[in-house]
Amino acid sequence: RLSDARAPRGMTSSALSLDAAPGRCATAGRAPTPGRGPVRTRASATSSSPSDRLDDAILLSAKLIYASSPAMEHTREGHPESNLRVPAILDALAAANLTPEARAGELVRLDAFAPATREQVMEVHTKNYVGGLNVLAKTRAPMDVTGDTYITSASYDAALRGCGAAIALVDAVCDAAEARESRQSGSSLAPAAFGLCRPPGHHATPKSAMGFCLFGTVAAAARHARDARGMARVMIFDFDVHHGNGTNDIFRDDPSVLFVSTHEDGSFPGTGKMSDAGEGEGVGATINVPLPPGAGDAAALAAFDEVVAPAAARFSPNIVLVSAGYDAHWRDQIAGLSFRTGTYWRLSARVKALADELCGGLCVFLLEGGYDLTGLGEGVADSFRALLGDGSGED
């Protein structure tokens, strides 16, 4: 029951017609609708220029492409979702020699990306919500927009930039797949990608901010993959400790998106019961796997092997997106699943192997939660190692 949900510290409850072969990226999505003009391509949809595209040499050599959108002006002193999070990750990556300089050619940083447009965000949120958040940020911030979610005057733009990074990473892995296919040399598998973006997004509903989240980052990326890159089937796997209720609601009746969430049972926001399997045409395309508090590494891996992977195989996605939350780490006091650092290596390695098998390696990880800075840095670093093909750094 929602009334029984345990809200973590700092959080309170509130308010397919074009198919594509696995591993293939089309340059446009759905067929144009009469009277609406052509479907937006990458350039027109993101206001980017051809110079934003990584050159072919990088696309052919990369194993992992990442982008950073730290939102340094979106912060509040004492709040767990602060501007210390992405710098802590970058420090942990540097300490582990997981940098483009140390891993030249394999690890690539994507710097040139545009913020998402209002129109792209309104693919997953209502016009009134998007416009209203902009007005509040520009005229009334700093303020709380819900009991647990704050905004500053920079928050609206920061959220657009985070979504833009996610969209650009979808484009980057698709561009890499196309480049490798055209060259027909070396590995045909696409590199993985990771967006170090904040604020997080998976709690944001179509009409409201919630749970530290403003815009649905992974949802915007999924819509872009379908509509601009021709992906008929998009899978989203969410391993944050909290249920991604916003993503769940956005795609509740959409059979083109498979949403699978593993999360701590009874934790914020109290949603994500096994009985929630979607609605209408989307029945069966939502799979929720609540795990008992303290479940730990073995339960997380069993859920992946016994539920997530078989569901993915049946769905046969064209791309896998991951809501990558690190608040299940044993160091993090916001919940209690007690994952180890190596749990994130094992989950990430499984996701990459699944993407390699089902969709030519196309997978994009996007940061969600994770509020203990040490646990967050360790967890993301071990995910990077898995995506690069390295062993875990867990002692």
Short mmCIF file of all heavy atoms in Angstrom, two decimals, residues 6 67 89 129 150 165 210 243-244 252 261 269 285 306 384 395:
data_model
loop_
_atom_site.label_atom_id
_atom_site.label_comp_id
_atom_site.label_asym_id
_atom_site.label_seq_id
_atom_site.Cartn_x
_atom_site.Cartn_y
_atom_site.Cartn_z
N ARG A 6 8.04 3.39 2.56
CA ARG A 6 9.05 4.04 3.40
C ARG A 6 9.75 5.12 2.59
O ARG A 6 10.44 4.84 1.62
CB ARG A 6 10.08 3.00 3.87
CG ARG A 6 11.21 3.61 4.68
CD ARG A 6 11.91 2.52 5.46
NE ARG A 6 12.43 1.49 4.59
CZ ARG A 6 13.64 1.52 4.04
NH1 ARG A 6 14.42 2.55 4.27
NH2 ARG A 6 14.07 0.53 3.29
N ALA A 67 29.32 11.36 -21.57
CA ALA A 67 29.10 12.80 -21.54
C ALA A 67 28.82 13.21 -20.11
O ALA A 67 28.26 12.43 -19.33
CB ALA A 67 27.94 13.20 -22.44
N ILE A 89 32.06 11.53 -9.04
CA ILE A 89 32.23 10.45 -10.02
C ILE A 89 33.48 10.69 -10.85
O ILE A 89 34.29 9.77 -11.07
CB ILE A 89 30.99 10.36 -10.93
CG1 ILE A 89 29.76 9.93 -10.14
CG2 ILE A 89 31.24 9.41 -12.10
CD1 ILE A 89 28.46 10.06 -10.91
N TYR A 129 3.23 21.62 -18.07
CA TYR A 129 4.27 21.36 -17.07
C TYR A 129 5.61 21.95 -17.51
O TYR A 129 6.29 22.63 -16.74
CB TYR A 129 4.41 19.86 -16.80
CG TYR A 129 5.63 19.55 -15.97
CD1 TYR A 129 5.79 20.12 -14.71
CD2 TYR A 129 6.65 18.71 -16.44
CE1 TYR A 129 6.93 19.88 -13.94
CE2 TYR A 129 7.77 18.46 -15.68
CZ TYR A 129 7.91 19.05 -14.44
OH TYR A 129 9.03 18.81 -13.69
N TYR A 150 13.59 20.60 -5.40
CA TYR A 150 13.82 22.04 -5.45
C TYR A 150 14.17 22.47 -6.88
O TYR A 150 14.54 21.64 -7.72
CB TYR A 150 14.96 22.43 -4.51
CG TYR A 150 16.32 21.90 -4.94
CD1 TYR A 150 17.13 22.58 -5.84
CD2 TYR A 150 16.80 20.67 -4.45
CE1 TYR A 150 18.36 22.09 -6.25
CE2 TYR A 150 18.02 20.17 -4.84
CZ TYR A 150 18.80 20.88 -5.75
OH TYR A 150 20.02 20.37 -6.16
N ALA A 165 22.19 15.71 -23.36
CA ALA A 165 23.32 14.79 -23.31
C ALA A 165 22.87 13.36 -23.58
O ALA A 165 23.52 12.61 -24.32
CB ALA A 165 24.00 14.88 -21.93
N MET A 210 9.15 15.28 -9.27
CA MET A 210 8.96 14.37 -8.13
C MET A 210 10.31 13.72 -7.80
O MET A 210 11.12 13.47 -8.70
CB MET A 210 7.93 13.30 -8.47
CG MET A 210 7.56 12.37 -7.32
SD MET A 210 6.27 11.20 -7.85
CE MET A 210 6.05 10.28 -6.33
N HIS A 243 11.72 2.71 -7.35
CA HIS A 243 10.96 2.45 -8.58
C HIS A 243 10.90 3.70 -9.44
O HIS A 243 10.61 4.80 -8.96
CB HIS A 243 9.54 2.00 -8.23
CG HIS A 243 8.67 1.78 -9.42
ND1 HIS A 243 7.49 2.46 -9.63
CD2 HIS A 243 8.82 0.95 -10.48
CE1 HIS A 243 6.95 2.06 -10.76
NE2 HIS A 243 7.74 1.14 -11.30
N GLY A 244 11.14 3.54 -10.74
CA GLY A 244 11.06 4.65 -11.69
C GLY A 244 9.62 4.90 -12.11
O GLY A 244 9.22 4.65 -13.25
N ARG A 252 3.26 3.64 -19.91
CA ARG A 252 2.34 2.64 -19.38
C ARG A 252 1.53 1.94 -20.47
O ARG A 252 1.27 0.74 -20.39
CB ARG A 252 1.39 3.32 -18.39
CG ARG A 252 0.31 2.43 -17.83
CD ARG A 252 -0.50 3.15 -16.79
NE ARG A 252 0.30 3.51 -15.63
CZ ARG A 252 0.63 2.66 -14.67
NH1 ARG A 252 0.24 1.39 -14.73
NH2 ARG A 252 1.35 3.05 -13.64
N SER A 261 11.91 -2.75 -14.17
CA SER A 261 12.51 -2.11 -13.00
C SER A 261 12.72 -3.13 -11.88
O SER A 261 11.82 -3.90 -11.55
CB SER A 261 11.59 -0.99 -12.48
OG SER A 261 12.08 -0.45 -11.26
N PRO A 269 8.72 5.55 -4.31
CA PRO A 269 7.51 6.27 -3.89
C PRO A 269 6.33 5.34 -3.58
O PRO A 269 5.18 5.78 -3.56
CB PRO A 269 7.20 7.12 -5.11
CG PRO A 269 7.62 6.26 -6.26
CD PRO A 269 8.84 5.49 -5.78
N ALA A 285 4.23 -4.88 -21.34
CA ALA A 285 5.46 -4.17 -21.65
C ALA A 285 6.00 -3.41 -20.45
O ALA A 285 6.97 -2.65 -20.57
CB ALA A 285 5.25 -3.20 -22.82
N GLU A 306 16.87 -14.20 -14.31
CA GLU A 306 15.63 -14.97 -14.39
C GLU A 306 14.44 -14.16 -14.91
O GLU A 306 13.46 -14.75 -15.36
CB GLU A 306 15.29 -15.54 -13.01
CG GLU A 306 16.34 -16.53 -12.51
CD GLU A 306 16.06 -17.00 -11.09
OE1 GLU A 306 14.91 -16.88 -10.64
OE2 GLU A 306 17.01 -17.48 -10.43
N PHE A 384 31.87 1.54 -15.49
CA PHE A 384 32.78 1.89 -16.60
C PHE A 384 33.70 0.70 -16.91
O PHE A 384 33.93 0.37 -18.08
CB PHE A 384 33.61 3.12 -16.24
CG PHE A 384 33.01 4.43 -16.67
CD1 PHE A 384 31.69 4.75 -16.36
CD2 PHE A 384 33.76 5.36 -17.37
CE1 PHE A 384 31.13 5.96 -16.75
CE2 PHE A 384 33.23 6.57 -17.77
CZ PHE A 384 31.92 6.88 -17.46
N ASP A 395 37.63 -4.72 -4.06
CA ASP A 395 38.66 -5.44 -3.33
C ASP A 395 38.16 -6.81 -2.90
O ASP A 395 37.00 -6.98 -2.57
CB ASP A 395 39.08 -4.65 -2.08
CG ASP A 395 39.81 -3.37 -2.47
OD1 ASP A 395 40.42 -3.33 -3.55
OD2 ASP A 395 39.76 -2.43 -1.68
#
